[in-house]
């Protein structure tokens, strides 16, 4: 047989082109693109009719949190099985969660632990970023370079959070390792001391409801840290990715840096397009459903984030899926969280809704082209994190990671449609047009016509190359 599968009659879109063609798949790879591939009887074991459907590279969500320790008594709502199942139903073929180090831990041991959690438990492919909480000489001098060499080619640093925040000195040291090893640094940019000061002051004034979460980390907190992270990266002359940007002022810092020729990249997320601070204003802890950091802002910030996507200031659109159940003492309704917004588990689910929201609000409403959508949700993720062209495109030689979309299907987002571990979606009630109906990973359907058909364990761990985009400029 020439092919295992032919996908016939669909409209294929990549980050650059849209065209009608058939796709021939053999051994999990795309081996041919052409007209009438299935014309010869017996050309393939299976022919999939994609007439009327869009055939897109599977979504890659390069910013998700799965089974991450989240503080005493708090448990993340997703393990690798539920998160990757949910992701597959949302049109994704790969996710990149974090292996999070805590102070004093060996990074190598942390990575081993995450592999144990993920092994045999994934429906779609995964790869790990590292989170560096302990920038000790041993970690930076030995463990980190060895892990980059082994295919863990990106790491996140935090400028806030007890136990996670790095000093400027530590940030500089981590960035130096990135420059030497060719890894990509992801930065959570918020000013730790400013947040602590504002939080203390709000609590002293009795302002402890969830709505004050936003007040405790206003735009200036994010803008200042973004500026500082960029300045530190400029000193080292290393590319960085500012993740989960929520507003115009932080975005302008990135745009200014880029106009100076620096390789500073930006990511935004659905919550900054679809939610505002007032969502955290609900009675009876309803607002906890929307607590995430940076917090959702206002309508003007939403407009800014759209502009950032349209202008390429943001090259990535990720979910920052960080799932906690709502009606659960181990989740958003943890007893301590009722005493102050400070203790409400921080993060919201979104891996299953990221693509339908951007497709409908972006492509459907004329803000983005279909090709920009593919770039923002798949191709750029592969390029940024060392997976391209194995992942993130439809081309001969690439993995057959494909999502079939019904561009006309209308749905109203609701928890009843979701397949993850949480008990709510922050996007409840949003009407969308366009829906992923089938998802295929390396030539095998995981979701077919809205039904789970993939095997648990069908998803692989994928070691990564160094990204071209993480290469430092030759300035020295
Ligand atoms: N940062 C994230 O990237 N995700 C959830 C919470 C946070 O602070
Ligand atoms: Zn973060
Ligand atoms: Zn995150």
């Amino acid at each position: 047989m020439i092919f295992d599968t032919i996908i016939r009659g669909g409209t294929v879109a990549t980050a650059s082109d849209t065209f009608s063609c058939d796709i021939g798949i053999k051994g999990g790879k795309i081996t041919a693109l052409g007209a009438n591939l299935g014309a010869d009887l017996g050309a393939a074991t299976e022919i999939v009719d994609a007439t009327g459907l869009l055939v897109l590279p599977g979504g890659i969500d390069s910013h998700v949190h799965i089974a991450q320790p989240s503080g005493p008594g708090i448990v993340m709502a997703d393990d690798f099985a539920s998160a990757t199942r949910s992701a597959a139903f949302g049109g994704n073929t790969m996710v990149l969660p974090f292996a999070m180090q805590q102070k004093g831990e060996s990074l190598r041991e942390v990575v081993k632990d995450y592999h144990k959690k993920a092994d045999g438990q994934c429906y779609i492919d995964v790869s790990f970023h590292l989170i560096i909480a302990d920038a000790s000489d041993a970690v930076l001098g030995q463990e980190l370079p060895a892990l980059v060499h082994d295919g863990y080619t990106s790491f996140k640093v935090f400028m806030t959070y007890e136990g996670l925040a790095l000093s400027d000195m530590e940030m500089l040291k981590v960035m130096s390792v990135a420059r030497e090893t060719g890894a990509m640094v992801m930065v959570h940019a918020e000013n730790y001391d400013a947040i602590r000061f504002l939080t203390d002051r709000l609590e002293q004034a009795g302002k402890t409801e969830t709505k004050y979460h936003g007040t405790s980390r206003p735009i200036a907190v994010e803008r200042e840290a973004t500026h500082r992270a960029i300045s530190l990266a400029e000193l080292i002359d290393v590319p960085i990715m500012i993740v989960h940007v929520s507003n115009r002022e932080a975005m302008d810092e990135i745009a200014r840096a880029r106009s100076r020729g620096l390789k500073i990249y930006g990511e935004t997320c659905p919550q900054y397009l679809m939610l505002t601070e007032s969502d955290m204003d609900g009675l009876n802890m309803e607002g906890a459903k929307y607590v995430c950091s940076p917090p959702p802002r206002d309508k003007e910030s939403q407009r800014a984030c759209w502009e950032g996507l349209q202008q390429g200031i943001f090259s990535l659109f990720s979910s920052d899926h960080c799932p906690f159940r709502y009606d659960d003492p181990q989740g958003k309704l943890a007893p301590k969280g009722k005493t102050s917004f400070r203790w409400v588990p921080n993060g919201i689910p979104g891996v299953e809704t990221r693509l339908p929201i951007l497709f409908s609000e972006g492509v459907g409403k004329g803000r983005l082209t279909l090709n920009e959508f593919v770039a923002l949700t798949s191709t750029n993720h592969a390029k940024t994190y060392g997976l391209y062209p194995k992942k993130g495109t439809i081309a001969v030689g690439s993995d057959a990671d494909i999502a079939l979309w019904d561009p006309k299907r209308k749905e109203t987002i609701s928890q009843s449609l979701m397949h993850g571990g949480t008990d709510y979606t922050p996007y409840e009630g949003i009407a969308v047009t366009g829906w992923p109906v089938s998802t295929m990973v390396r030539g095998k359907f995981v979701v077919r016509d809205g039904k789970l058909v993939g095997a648990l364990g069908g998803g692989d761990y994928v070691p990564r190359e160094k990204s071209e985009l993480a290469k430092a400029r030759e300035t020295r």
Side-chain angles (χ1 to χ4, degrees):
M1 210 65 83
I2 310 173
F3 304 113
D4 300 326
T5 307
I6 293 170
I7 299 177
R8 188 161 70 182
T11 301
V12 178
T14 66
S16 53
D17 302 296
T18 305
F19 47 93
S20 294
C21 89
D22 299 343
I23 299 176
I25 298 166
K26 181 82 178 168
K29 301 252 180 219
I30 296 170
T31 53
L33 299 174
N36 298 319
L37 288 185
D40 296 342
L41 216 59
T45 311
E46 181 173 23
I47 295 188
V48 176
D49 182 9
T51 308
L53 300 179
L54 293 176
V55 183
L56 308 183
I60 300 173
D61 196 339
S62 62
H63 188 156
V64 302
H65 303 264
I66 303 174
Q68 207 174 277
S70 304
I74 306 298
V75 178
M76 244 181 207
D78 275 317
D79 55 18
F80 279 84
S82 63
T84 57
R85 182 180 64 218
S86 182
F89 275 97
N92 297 286
T93 50
M94 182 160 190
V95 288
L96 281 79
F98 297 86
M100 187 179 80
Q101 182 196 34
Q102 304 194 61
K103 283 241 186 299
E105 288 181 337
S106 142
L107 257 186
R108 180 64 77 176
E109 290 304 314
V110 167
V111 166
K112 276 192 201 152
D113 286 349
Y114 275 86
H115 275 288
K116 255 189 233 148
K117 295 186 208 189
D119 276 358
Q121 295 298 311
C122 296
Y123 286 98
I124 64 173
D125 286 353
V126 297
S127 192
F128 294 115
H129 306 290
L130 310 172
I131 288 177
I132 315 292
D134 197 341
S136 67
D137 288 348
V139 168
L140 298 189
Q142 289 145 36
E143 287 202 303
L144 197 48
L147 284 161
V148 173
H149 178 263
D150 290 349
Y152 304 88
T153 56
S154 50
F155 28 87
K156 184 175 178 192
V157 291
F158 285 83
M159 298 171 81
T160 188
Y161 293 127
E162 181 85 44
L164 279 177
L166 299 189
S167 67
D168 291 353
M169 173 71 104
E170 290 168 327
M171 294 265 292
L172 287 163
K173 287 182 179 173
V174 171
M175 287 178 182
S176 295
V177 175
R179 185 180 164 103
E180 298 315 318
T181 58
M184 181 66 87
V185 183
M186 309 161 78
V187 181
H188 178 124
E190 288 185 297
N191 180 314
Y192 183 37
D193 282 339
I195 294 168
R196 282 197 293 176
F197 173 83
L198 293 171
T199 301
D200 287 349
R201 207 170 63 173
L202 285 162
E203 285 184 345
Q204 279 154 18
K207 295 178 173 173
T208 55
E209 298 102 293
T210 50
K211 68 177 176 185
Y212 293 108
H213 174 72
T215 324
S216 74
R217 31 212 328 150
I219 286 174
V221 161
E222 187 182 342
R223 183 198 63 225
E224 185 279 331
T226 304
H227 179 85
R228 185 155 38 101
I230 291 170
S231 302
L232 299 179
E234 186 171 1
L235 293 177
I236 306 293
D237 202 359
V238 68
I240 59 170
M241 168 66 66
I242 308 287
V243 294
H244 48 46
V245 178
S246 72
N247 69 87
R248 185 179 299 282
E249 294 182 25
M251 180 176 92
D252 283 349
E253 295 291 341
I254 298 171
R256 261 197 296 281
R258 291 166 73 94
S259 71
R260 294 204 305 279
L262 300 177
K263 293 170 86 170
I264 307 292
Y265 310 109
E267 172 204 74
T268 193
C269 315
Q271 49 270 41
Y272 308 119
L273 302 180
M274 304 307 292
L275 304 178
T276 66
E277 191 173 357
S278 64
D279 286 305
M280 289 182 288
D281 200 2
L283 287 174
N284 298 325
M285 294 294 290
E286 271 284 314
K289 288 180 177 174
Y290 307 94
V291 167
C292 60
S293 297
R297 309 287 183 185
D298 55 11
K299 292 277 176 198
E300 152 54 19
S301 296
Q302 292 182 349
R303 273 191 295 278
C305 289
W306 276 114
E307 283 174 34
L309 290 169
Q310 290 165 326
Q311 294 168 7
I313 300 165
F314 301 135
S315 51
L316 300 183
F317 184 73
S318 311
S319 68
D320 196 2
H321 180 76
C322 188
F324 299 99
R325 286 171 54 79
Y326 172 65
D327 191 8
D328 192 326
Q330 293 184 319
K332 291 286 190 180
L333 295 189
K336 221 171 159 190
K338 294 179 186 168
T339 69
S340 168
F341 61 86
R342 186 200 291 257
W343 304 111
V344 173
N346 205 327
I348 63 175
V351 75
E352 195 165 346
T353 45
R354 172 184 74 125
L355 296 176
I357 286 172
L358 195 71
F359 187 90
S360 185
E361 290 289 318
V363 183
K365 296 194 175 171
R367 290 166 163 135
L368 299 171
T369 66
L370 181 58
N371 310 103
E372 286 167 336
F373 170 82
V374 171
L376 287 164
T377 57
S378 179
T379 314
N380 292 351
H381 298 253
K383 288 184 175 173
T384 302
Y385 295 119
L387 290 161
Y388 190 83
K390 175 179 168 63
K391 306 284 191 189
T393 192
I394 292 181
V396 170
S398 294
D399 284 359
D401 290 354
I402 291 168
L404 302 180
W405 281 71
D406 180 347
K408 300 214 171 91
R409 179 147 152 198
K410 290 185 188 300
E411 291 286 357
T412 299
I413 292 176
S414 130
Q415 177 55 21
S416 63
L417 296 177
M418 299 291 113
H419 300 83
T422 46
D423 56 352
Y424 79 101
T425 164
Y427 306 107
E428 186 78 32
I430 292 176
V432 294
T433 303
W435 198 255
V437 290
S438 300
T439 308
M440 170 185 275
V441 176
R442 286 174 281 103
K444 291 211 170 81
F445 279 109
V446 178
V447 172
R448 187 160 195 180
D449 299 325
K451 293 200 175 55
L452 185 69
V453 296
L456 186 61
D460 277 352
Y461 165 73
V462 183
R464 288 177 287 125
E465 305 288 326
K466 292 173 188 174
S467 163
E468 274 296 304
L469 303 187
K471 225 172 172 180
R473 301 181 307 174
E474 300 264 338
T475 49
R476 297 177 191 172

